[in-house]
């Protein structure tokens, strides 16, 4: 897996995390077509589906998602090292399978950011 893809994902996650920290703290909720986060965040007149979507993007949920993805990236980087000591043929094979599965997952994660100027088409799943 290209190290560039891992770096790209880490950079996007850091951006998501930074923006979530800048957002109005949650929990966010919807009442009718209005989104609240302790106070009025945004009034959406006839688009309750949009209000539900906006409320679902609660910064706390985004931060949890970012944390989970960071943990997967760390698992990938550690596979075949400290988690599989002492090294045996079976453990190295398991690490290879684990890394291959995670590579497919990361390609799917990166595709979410396909419109970013640093995204490489070769990463597309």
């Amino acid at each position: 897996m290209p190290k560039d893809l891992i770096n790209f994902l880490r950079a996007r996650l850091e951006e998501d995390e930074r923006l979530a920290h800048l957002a109005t703290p949650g929990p966010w909720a919807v009442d009718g077509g209005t989104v609240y986060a302790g106070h009025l965040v945004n009034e959406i007149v006839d688009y309750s589906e949009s209000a539900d979507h906006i409320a679902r993007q609660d910064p706390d949920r985004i931060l949890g998602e970012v944390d989970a993805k960071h943990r997967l990236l760390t698992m990938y980087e550690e596979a075949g090292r400290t988690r599989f000591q002492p090294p045996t043929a079976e453990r190295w094979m398991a690490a290879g399978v684990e890394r291959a599965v995670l590579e497919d997952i990361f390609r799917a994660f990166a595709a979410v950011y396909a419109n970013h100027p640093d995204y490489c088409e070769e990463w597309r799943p």
Side-chain angles (χ1 to χ4, degrees):
M1 157 127 336
K3 185 69 172 165
D4 291 349
L5 176 57
I6 299 296
N7 292 336
F8 174 83
L9 282 171
R10 286 205 186 275
R12 301 298 70 76
L13 292 173
E14 288 168 9
E15 288 172 357
D16 290 348
E17 183 176 23
R18 181 181 58 79
L19 292 173
H21 281 295
L22 292 174
T24 302
W28 292 9
V30 176
D31 183 10
T34 305
V35 180
Y36 292 89
H39 63 285
L40 180 66
V41 172
N42 190 8
E43 177 130 3
I44 300 176
V45 180
D46 290 321
Y47 301 101
S48 61
E49 295 86 7
S50 295
D52 290 341
H53 172 73
I54 291 167
R56 186 166 174 82
Q57 302 312 306
D58 182 317
D60 289 339
R61 187 189 69 77
I62 298 299
L63 291 171
E65 185 175 319
V66 165
D67 181 59
K69 290 177 180 177
H70 272 301
R71 283 186 273 134
L72 285 172
L73 288 167
T74 299
M75 284 174 56
Y76 174 82
E77 292 172 333
E78 290 177 353
R81 291 189 310 204
T82 57
R83 293 180 55 212
F84 295 99
Q85 298 300 326
T88 64
E90 293 81 17
R91 287 181 177 166
W92 281 111
M93 277 185 25
V97 169
E98 180 180 85
R99 288 175 62 93
V101 169
L102 287 171
E103 287 173 11
D104 288 343
I105 291 169
F106 297 151
R107 289 177 191 281
F109 285 166
V112 171
Y113 304 102
N115 63 344
H116 191 279
D118 294 338
Y119 180 80
C120 294
E121 280 299 317
E122 68 189 47
W123 299 337
R124 192 168 297 279

